[in-house]
Amino acid sequence: MSLTAEALGNEFRGYLEAEPGPKGREKVRDRLKQVLTDAEFVAKYLREDTREREVIYEDPKLGFCILAHHYRGPKDSPPHDHGPSWAIYGQAKGETLMNDYELLEAASEDKPGKVKKTRSYPLTPGIAHVYNEGDLHSPHRTASTHLIRIEGMNMEKVRRLKYQAV
Ligand SMILES: [Fe+2]
């Protein structure tokens, strides 16, 4: 039987319960890398009609989510972190150019933080990357992409602060 988002979520919960924090997330990332090249899984969850953001699994116990994304056309995103959460980006189709930043000045509700770019690297199909709490990054793409992302909690419910690159 082919892998489902639910079965994958159960596997991820196992890793995250056994090793809470960055260690467990690295296990999730390594498993996600395999899934990104699983043709059946990709065909099932990353279709042409997949929306920009689809929660395909939400863990009832730990609250993390598995998301399918079909981003259409070129786009530059501003630097951001995921507030109190961590995230894992997994590239399945297309290419994302990711930039990392260091924090120069903290953000507040009414003032964007200041950040400086430290490196850029491509996420190509089969590559997955962990962003722990506070890790600042900005994805850029020149054409459509499909990703599987894991969020430590459903970010739809979380307000984010803004950052400016200097
Ligand atoms: Fe992000």
Side-chain angles (χ1 to χ4, degrees):
M1 207 184 80
S2 65
L3 181 67
T4 62
E6 175 147 24
L8 186 62
N10 286 329
E11 281 185 51
F12 287 171
R13 185 175 61 249
Y15 298 134
L16 294 168
E17 282 187 325
E19 294 183 283
K23 278 256 179 293
R25 297 166 199 170
E26 287 168 19
K27 297 270 168 63
V28 172
R29 177 203 59 204
D30 291 344
R31 177 67 178 116
L32 178 60
K33 280 184 175 175
Q34 299 171 342
V35 172
L36 294 169
T37 56
D38 176 334
E40 269 187 74
F41 188 88
V42 168
K44 184 171 180 174
Y45 293 105
L46 296 173
R47 303 168 314 272
E48 205 39 50
D49 68 349
T50 296
R51 296 189 304 275
E52 187 163 297
R53 176 190 171 90
E54 283 184 25
V55 176
I56 58 172
Y57 176 81
E58 184 158 0
D59 191 77
K61 193 168 173 200
L62 301 182
F64 69 85
C65 291
I66 304 176
L67 299 117
H69 297 279
H70 180 193
Y71 296 118
R72 291 166 173 86
K75 195 182 176 194
D76 278 352
S77 299
H80 64 276
D81 61 12
H82 296 153
S85 182
W86 51 272
I88 301 173
Y89 281 60
Q91 189 80 33
K93 297 186 222 173
E95 186 170 324
T96 301
L97 181 69
M98 191 65 91
N99 300 299
D100 286 354
Y101 298 84
E102 67 172 301
L103 182 67
L104 300 178
E105 213 179 289
S108 64
E109 285 290 330
D110 38 41
K111 197 165 158 254
K114 288 197 166 62
V115 301
K116 187 177 144 200
K117 194 191 285 188
T118 52
R119 67 180 188 127
S120 300
Y121 48 97
L123 303 181
T124 51
I127 299 287
H129 202 101
V130 180
Y131 300 91
N132 288 309
E133 294 88 341
D135 284 354
L136 291 152
H137 55 281
S138 72
H140 298 258
R141 57 174 199 266
T142 56
S144 299
T145 58
H146 282 86
L147 286 90
I148 298 285
R149 285 193 329 127
I150 322 297
E151 292 179 344
M153 62 184 76
N154 191 339
M155 288 301 294
E156 261 160 39
K157 298 162 189 163
V158 179
R159 274 195 59 191
R160 299 199 200 196
L161 299 175
K162 292 193 162 62
Y163 295 93
Q164 230 168 37
V166 295

